[in-house]
DNA sequence: CCCTCGATTCTCT
DNA sequence: GAGAATCGAGGGT
């Protein structure tokens, strides 16, 4: 698929793009080799507060910031963010520029470069754990902050599925606090019967109090 | 399988 | 200053 054809395919609402991404293959090629993942679970994040359909779960809900800058650009690029002090997660920006929408890549099956993916994912004990969860998927593909904004026409390539998945399940997004994590936003999409699909986890509020037990307070 | 909890630093208010 | 679109270890069922 040509890049401009891919862009046209991505130039839609993330809630429409997300289920269509299931079965797509994302490849990252580096000097170490190529790793490809067949996507089995994604989440849609839609626009910002001023758009027609606000999404309180989106990183861009409160407007443009340094972190979410890439989301405001054209589709066909990776939006990579750093979270919990140690993990990276990747989105595919979709929709027209200025809309700030994207699809979080939550899980997939490694279909190429398993040895390299295993080497990057030392903690994984089974192949099904290589890309089960967004930070694991990013690690298996070797995605870090330097790839924020990368276009899908170079070291990264996205091959949409030949045909739309015949069966797609959906439900609330994982780990999203507040209204965005409610059943009103059932924008997590996954393929049934896939061992790589991550276990659902509701957002769990963490407060300073819960972690202050061994914090050095001065 | 399940659950709870600590790690670690960036981001935005 | 507080919380984060998470993971992995450890212990129980």
């Amino acid at each position: 698929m040509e890049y401009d054809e891919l862009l046209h395919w991505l130039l839609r609402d993330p809630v429409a793009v997300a289920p269509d991404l299931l079965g797509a293959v994302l490849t990252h090629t580096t000097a170490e080799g190529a790793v490809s993942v067949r996507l089995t679970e994604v989440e849609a994040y839609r626009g910002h507060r001023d758009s027609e359909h606000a999404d309180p779960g989106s990183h861009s809900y409160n407007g443009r910031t340094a972190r979410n800058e890439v989301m405001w650009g054209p589709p066909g690029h990776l939006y990579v963010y750093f979270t919990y002090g140690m993990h990276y997660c990747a989105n595919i920006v979709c929709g027209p520029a200025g809309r700030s929408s994207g699809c979080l890549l939550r899980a997939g099956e490694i279909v190429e470069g398993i040895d390299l993916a295993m080497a990057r994912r030392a903690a994984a004990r089974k192949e099904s754990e290589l890309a089960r969860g967004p930070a694991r998927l990013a690690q298996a593909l070797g995605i870090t902050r330097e790839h924020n904004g990368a276009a899908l026409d170079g070291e990264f390539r996205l091959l949409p599925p030949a045909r739309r998945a015949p069966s797609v399940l959906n439900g609330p997004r994982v780990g999203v606090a507040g209204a965005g994590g409610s059943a009103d936003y059932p924008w997590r999409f996954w393929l049934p019967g896939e061992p790589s699909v991550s276990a659902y986890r509701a957002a769990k509020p963490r407060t300073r109090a819960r972690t202050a037990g061994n914090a050095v307070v001065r």
Side-chain angles (χ1 to χ4, degrees):
Chain A
M1 180 181 269
E2 298 300 320
Y3 187 57
D4 56 357
E5 196 180 345
L6 175 66
L7 293 188
H8 183 259
W9 189 74
L10 291 173
L11 201 61
R12 297 176 288 147
D13 186 281
V15 177
V17 171
D20 286 359
L21 276 172
L22 297 173
V25 174
L26 176 66
T27 300
H28 184 206
T29 305
T30 67
E32 298 178 300
V35 172
S36 297
V37 64
R38 171 180 158 264
L39 301 176
T40 58
E41 181 189 5
V42 301
E43 282 176 356
Y45 287 88
R46 184 194 266 169
H48 63 112
R49 177 180 287 165
D50 297 329
S51 67
E52 190 176 348
H53 301 285
D55 176 4
S58 173
H59 281 177
S60 61
Y61 183 61
N62 289 317
R64 203 164 187 146
T65 68
R67 178 176 69 163
N68 66 35
E69 181 66 28
V70 170
M71 287 188 83
W72 300 83
H77 294 249
L78 293 183
Y79 163 50
V80 180
Y81 67 92
F82 179 72
T83 191
Y84 289 102
M86 61 196 91
H87 300 302
Y88 295 100
C89 298
N91 295 246
I92 291 175
V93 176
C94 62
R99 190 69 57 85
S100 195
S101 291
C103 293
L104 171 68
L105 309 180
R106 282 204 60 87
E109 173 198 4
I110 303 297
V111 294
E112 179 188 16
I114 290 214
D115 291 346
L116 178 52
M118 286 284 272
R120 288 170 173 157
R121 292 268 308 115
R125 299 177 202 174
K126 301 180 288 189
E127 284 188 9
S128 62
E129 291 179 352
L130 283 176
R132 188 180 197 225
R136 291 165 170 174
L137 184 152
Q139 189 174 28
L141 284 181
I143 295 175
T144 67
R145 81 174 59 247
E146 71 187 281
H147 301 117
N148 185 36
L152 298 172
D153 68 347
E155 63 181 287
F156 291 96
R157 298 277 175 171
L158 179 68
L159 182 65
R163 54 187 73 174
R164 186 171 287 152
S167 177
V168 172
L169 303 180
N170 71 291
R173 294 175 295 192
V174 174
V176 178
S182 74
D184 293 337
Y185 299 86
W187 294 346
R188 172 193 184 216
F189 300 87
W190 67 94
L191 294 176
E194 293 283 342
S196 61
V197 172
S198 57
Y200 174 75
R201 291 189 201 185
K204 196 170 178 184
R206 296 182 328 145
T207 65
R208 200 73 169 145
R210 274 188 68 223
T211 57
N214 45 5
V216 178
V217 181
R218 47 184 301 284

